[in-house]
Amino acid sequence: MSGLLLAVSFPPLEWHLVAWFALVPILLVARHSTPGGAFKWGMVCGLVFWIPALSWLRILAHKGVPASIAFAGWIILAAYCALYVAMFAMVVSAWFAACGTDDWRKNLAATVAVPLLWVGFEYVRSHFASGFPWNTLGVSQALA
């Protein structure tokens, strides 16, 4: 569900208000999963978001790139970007497992740490190995 909500936050639909709660489903999954399970669900979430977000790469097949290469590049880049969502979900799950949510202080710490963690993963994706600063969550708000 988070993948779908993230996808509709960006063009062509640009339902920018959805971005405000798009991460809630993956956070709930992370809260109630093992880190390994959260990683797998995060990967699914990321693929559901990134495959349509990068569908513009199909145009390469019409620009002289063999269709199989264009398709492989599209899916590989989507999987690479999805890894960041998966790692985010895994770290959040590990955080909840280690710290719990039985105390208001822990919940307050998670309320501050989880968004910083998401932005941190987006920052790394945007800069690591020459970076891919495409569709960071804040961009969905700039389109409004």
Side-chain angles (χ1 to χ4, degrees), residues 41-144:
W41 281 109
M43 192 69 185
V44 170
C45 171
L47 287 170
V48 168
F49 169 50
W50 283 106
I51 287 174
L54 298 175
S55 63
W56 56 269
L57 287 171
R58 295 175 301 169
I59 193 92
L60 295 175
H62 303 292
K63 300 292 183 184
V65 176
S68 60
I69 302 285
F71 180 77
W74 171 31
I75 299 304
I76 290 168
L77 183 56
Y80 168 74
C81 291
L83 278 173
Y84 288 92
V85 180
M87 290 185 291
F88 166 77
M90 181 181 69
V91 171
V92 168
S93 177
W95 168 288
F96 284 139
C99 298
T101 57
D102 58 341
D103 181 6
W104 70 270
R105 286 180 220 94
K106 293 176 185 175
N107 290 332
L108 180 61
T111 301
V112 172
V114 169
L116 291 174
L117 187 63
W118 177 264
V119 171
F121 274 110
E122 284 188 333
Y123 181 83
V124 171
R125 178 179 48 82
S126 297
H127 291 85
F128 177 72
S130 82
F132 190 71
W134 190 267
N135 282 9
T136 57
L137 197 54
V139 169
S140 70
Q141 302 308 293
L143 299 172

Side-chain angles (χ1 to χ4, degrees), residues 4-35:
L4 288 173
L5 294 173
L6 287 168
V8 302
S9 299
F10 292 93
L13 295 178
E14 298 181 36
W15 296 350
H16 61 276
L17 294 176
V18 173
W20 286 91
F21 55 89
L23 295 178
V24 171
I26 195 64
L27 291 172
L28 290 172
V29 167
R31 170 65 183 98
H32 299 287
S33 298
T34 64

